Amino acid sequence: MPRVNRTTVLTLLIITSSVFLLFQLHYYRKYVSKQGPYILSRTGHLTQTVKKFLGLARHFGLPLFLADTAALTLLSQDSLRQRDRLVHEPHCSFLCTGRPVTSFALHANLWKYEPGFLLAAKQKGFELLELRGQDPRLASLDNLSGEEIPLHFLFRLHGHIIQVVFLYERSGNYLWHGELRLKAHVDRSFAPFKLLDYGRHPGSYDRPELVLTVVDGIDVRIPRNISRFLSEQRQARFLECRYRDARNFLQLYPDDVSPDAVDFRRKVKSLLHLAGRTLAQLDIPFWLSSGTCLGWFRQCSVISYSRDVDIGIFIGDFRSDIVSAFRSAGLSLKHKFGKVEDSLELSFLSEDVKLDIFFFYGDGDVVWNGGTQAKSGKKFK
Ligand SMILES: *[C@@H]1O[C@H](CO)[C@@H](O)[C@H](O)[C@H]1NC(C)=O
Ligand SMILES: *[C@@H]1O[C@H](CO)[C@@H](O)[C@H](O)[C@H]1NC(C)=O
């Protein structure tokens, strides 16, 4: 009796596990493999669409690079790239990300807007949505109305979207892209707008160094340091200064335009550039703090009677080589208040302008920083 039971149980087990295995196989073929990089019915279309688009872009001289976060993430994995080199038949390891969108960035200052390009794309079967917005480079305290410029192109073919993000150079030596804002008449079903990598907010970037490479059989430029580009992308949200409010403020309290004040503002800006470059070398994020932040927020400028530059850094980002890095950049340490465990503040001097670095400490839901009055030694929190 126990023997029979054992056989029955074994048979039952074999049957159920076979059924389960068949089910898994079915599920895999039906759902999972559709996303997979090596299935040709899908990859065929996608690589063809991208290839067709890039062919046109090359013909019309568009300075593009691949900016798609999903594809770049795959490209940043060395093991995946090594494995990819061994595959010789047509395949799609990087562009087939399972997302219905591929995004490219366009260096807009290097391209003269060419309507012929859009016409040619339409003739090749692409549908197009062009999104425009105000040019912030012309907006200023004196003139709030910028001209409209192209900010994003969306091309659609076989249900796949190619997004082209226009990156414009702005004074201060960085690249900027605008928000993707849908006007009232725009077809909201044109693209899965929520899935786009770019356009939820305006963004700003350092100019990335690019390299030409072959991705899934297609020649395309990509950022040389992909991980740097991706980490920049995650925190690239750009905040425009509020020129309208600033203008209202300055009408009530006009800026000091004496030569001293003008000179001070120039020094502050160059000191901020220097601090930004020095901290970037150390990979330390910082922000404008105290009076410097107030000046930007209130009047899009530097408060001329503030006499120093204030920036903030999280204490978690403190590195002991900050002082030597600033010294190499030509700034001398003037004061050090507090200590790393409590209320640290470093004060550097450049010409006659002081750079105050306040370190910020987390405490539950709040962050705080300390301050010390140089003359009296009094501490504040
Ligand atoms: C403001 O900018 C617009 C667009 O560039 C231009 O047409 C206009 O003449 C400018 N107005 C002034 C007062 O500069
Ligand atoms: C890429 O950028 C990261 C972050 O900025 C940096 O740590 C890394 O050294 C860079 N890699 C190369 C090869 O330059």
Side-chain angles (χ1 to χ4, degrees):
M1 196 60 180
R3 180 167 290 270
V4 173
N5 256 351
R6 207 181 292 161
T7 323
T8 326
V9 165
L10 210 65
T11 321
L12 266 173
L13 258 176
I14 288 173
I15 290 173
T16 44
S17 49
S18 308
V19 167
F20 187 61
L21 209 68
L22 278 171
F23 170 75
Q24 276 188 321
L25 202 68
H26 170 78
Y27 178 83
Y28 181 79
R29 293 185 62 150
K30 188 148 188 235
Y31 299 102
V32 182
S33 63
K34 271 200 184 145
Q35 309 272 320
Y38 288 99
I39 306 300
L40 267 172
S41 63
R42 236 186 113 73
T43 65
H45 263 325
L46 208 153
T47 45
Q48 284 312 315
T49 299
V50 173
K51 206 174 212 164
K52 202 185 252 186
F53 169 76
L54 286 178
L56 275 169
R58 197 170 309 118
H59 186 255
F60 286 91
L62 270 74
L64 291 177
F65 66 90
L66 183 66
D68 193 87
T69 55
L72 288 176
T73 302
L74 293 172
L75 279 163
S76 68
Q77 295 167 21
D78 287 336
S79 57
L80 215 61
R81 289 179 90 163
Q82 268 161 23
R83 204 174 342 137
D84 182 69
R85 278 188 207 108
L86 306 175
V87 182
H88 295 299
E89 55 272 22
H91 61 286
C92 184
S93 308
F94 305 108
L95 294 172
C96 298
T97 57
R99 284 158 37 92
V101 185
T102 309
S103 29
F104 291 90
L106 171 76
H107 197 324
N109 294 64
L110 302 180
W111 186 59
K112 192 176 165 307
Y113 189 87
E114 167 72 89
F117 166 64
L118 303 180
L119 214 63
K122 278 186 187 151
Q123 278 164 3
K124 292 268 184 195
F126 286 99
E127 294 167 275
L128 168 71
L129 189 62
E130 178 176 350
L131 297 130
R132 292 176 161 257
Q134 296 236 314
D135 186 347
R137 295 168 304 172
L138 301 174
S140 65
L141 289 173
D142 306 322
N143 189 350
L144 299 174
S145 63
E147 217 175 292
E148 288 230 318
I149 47 171
L151 299 179
H152 300 264
F153 285 153
L154 296 178
F155 294 95
R156 183 169 72 182
L157 185 65
H158 302 312
H160 193 78
I161 299 286
I162 291 177
Q163 179 179 20
V164 175
V165 186
F166 282 66
L167 291 178
Y168 290 94
E169 306 234 4
R170 291 190 57 172
S171 72
N173 203 20
Y174 64 97
L175 300 172
W176 169 92
H177 73 73
E179 189 180 353
L180 191 156
R181 204 176 273 161
L182 296 177
K183 297 199 172 136
H185 63 274
V186 169
D187 172 11
R188 264 136 235 274
S189 64
F190 187 89
F193 289 100
K194 287 208 171 86
L195 295 180
L196 301 181
D197 279 339
Y198 299 89
R200 182 161 308 167
H201 313 292
S204 67
Y205 291 82
D206 285 330
R207 197 176 298 106
E209 193 190 338
L210 302 175
V211 285
L212 185 66
T213 186
V214 181
V215 176
D216 296 334
I218 300 172
D219 289 347
V220 64
R221 294 194 303 165
I222 59 170
R224 181 187 289 281
N225 189 329
I226 295 176
S227 58
R228 175 181 299 167
F229 180 79
L230 289 174
S231 77
E232 210 182 345
Q233 199 272 345
R234 282 191 287 274
Q235 45 188 323
R237 182 170 182 176
F238 181 82
L239 266 186
E240 198 72 60
C241 201
R242 309 175 317 151
Y243 291 114
R244 200 174 295 273
D245 295 334
R247 191 167 66 169
N248 293 341
F249 176 84
L250 289 168
Q251 270 165 2
L252 286 176
Y253 309 98
D255 238 354
D256 182 353
V257 290
S258 66
D260 276 357
V262 171
D263 191 46
F264 174 69
R265 281 191 217 108
R266 182 190 54 75
K267 283 178 184 164
V268 165
K269 283 181 191 162
S270 79
L271 181 53
L272 268 177
H273 272 292
L274 185 73
R277 278 199 304 275
T278 308
L279 292 169
Q281 277 163 16
L282 301 172
D283 260 329
I284 297 179
F286 74 98
W287 59 90
L288 301 185
S289 181
S290 318
T292 308
C293 184
L294 175 63
W296 173 82
F297 180 78
R298 191 175 70 183
Q299 57 209 68
C300 299
S301 177
V302 172
I303 300 172
S304 55
Y305 51 85
S306 57
R307 306 322 314 172
D308 54 16
V309 178
D310 303 312
I311 63 174
I313 291 177
F314 283 123
I315 193 67
D317 292 319
F318 173 80
R319 288 172 45 160
S320 52
D321 50 355
I322 287 182
V323 173
S324 59
F326 274 103
R327 194 179 298 128
S328 313
L331 304 193
S332 56
L333 183 67
K334 185 161 180 272
H335 290 295
K336 178 180 176 212
F337 297 117
K339 44 188 188 263
V340 175
E341 299 77 47
D342 179 21
S343 308
L344 183 65
E345 177 191 340
L346 299 174
S347 246
F348 295 92
L349 201 59
S350 149
E351 300 179 68
D352 49 352
V353 183
K354 198 154 64 81
L355 171 70
D356 284 330
I357 304 184
F358 295 101
F359 288 87
F360 282 68
Y361 296 77
D363 186 1
D365 285 343
V366 298
V367 292
W368 60 272
N369 74 289
T372 309
Q373 198 171 45
K375 277 189 203 130
S376 63
K378 258 198 202 150
K379 278 179 64 176
F380 301 93
K381 185 167 173 178

